Amino acid sequence: MNVNESAENYLETILILSKAKPVVRSVDIAEELGFKKSSVSVAMKNLREKNHITVTKEGFIYLTDSGKEIADMIYERHQLLSSWLTRLGVDPVIATQDACRIEHVISSESFEAIKKHIK
């Protein structure tokens, strides 16, 4: 599952939006991330080519099994790391920003060790 940070962020955003909306469209992603629709369109094409998403003729975006697996992993990391940093006394805004950076570079081994230690 070798995907870059940008792809991980898009997949995580699709997952988060799909929890709040009945359908996710490129315009929703652009609005959520503050990106131009054209940039999101290029990213969606790349994710579709890698079989991480499907897009219906109406423009509705859905995660495939591989896309959901990546999104779930990144989302779990984000949630756990931001929560942990906040409990350590880090300002919640900074904790969220730091978790967003850490979630992409931490190894599975280190993350599992942190998760085991926290719980």
Side-chain angles (χ1 to χ4, degrees):
M1 232 187 321
N2 191 12
V3 293
N4 64 29
E5 182 177 333
S6 174
E8 290 176 346
N9 279 331
Y10 278 110
L11 293 170
E12 181 184 25
T13 300
I14 293 166
L15 176 70
I16 292 167
L17 288 172
S18 70
K19 291 175 184 278
K21 296 177 172 278
V23 294
V24 178
R25 300 165 302 145
S26 289
V27 66
D28 301 319
I29 298 166
E31 193 175 283
E32 179 72 17
L33 295 174
F35 294 165
K36 293 180 183 173
K37 285 185 259 181
S38 57
S39 299
V40 173
S41 180
V42 169
M44 293 305 103
K45 179 180 183 272
N46 291 334
L47 291 173
R48 195 173 57 249
E49 287 173 354
K50 292 178 179 160
N51 296 314
H52 294 312
I53 64 167
T54 59
V55 182
T56 67
K57 65 180 185 239
E58 297 86 6
F60 302 153
I61 300 166
Y62 297 97
L63 295 170
T64 62
D65 289 343
S66 68
K68 183 153 179 15
E69 185 179 343
I70 295 164
D72 284 339
M73 175 192 69
I74 295 300
Y75 186 68
E76 178 191 25
R77 288 177 176 195
H78 182 88
Q79 293 295 103
L80 187 122
L81 292 168
S82 59
S83 163
W84 181 49
L85 290 169
T86 302
R87 284 189 311 232
L88 289 173
V90 177
D91 177 272
V93 172
I94 293 171
T96 298
Q97 292 169 348
D98 287 346
C100 208
R101 288 190 289 274
I102 295 167
E103 68 195 25
H104 301 287
V105 296
I106 192 169
S107 69
S108 295
E109 182 180 353
S110 293
F111 178 73
E112 289 303 318
I114 290 170
K115 188 162 87 169
K116 184 178 176 184
H117 177 75
I118 292 173
K119 294 185 178 194

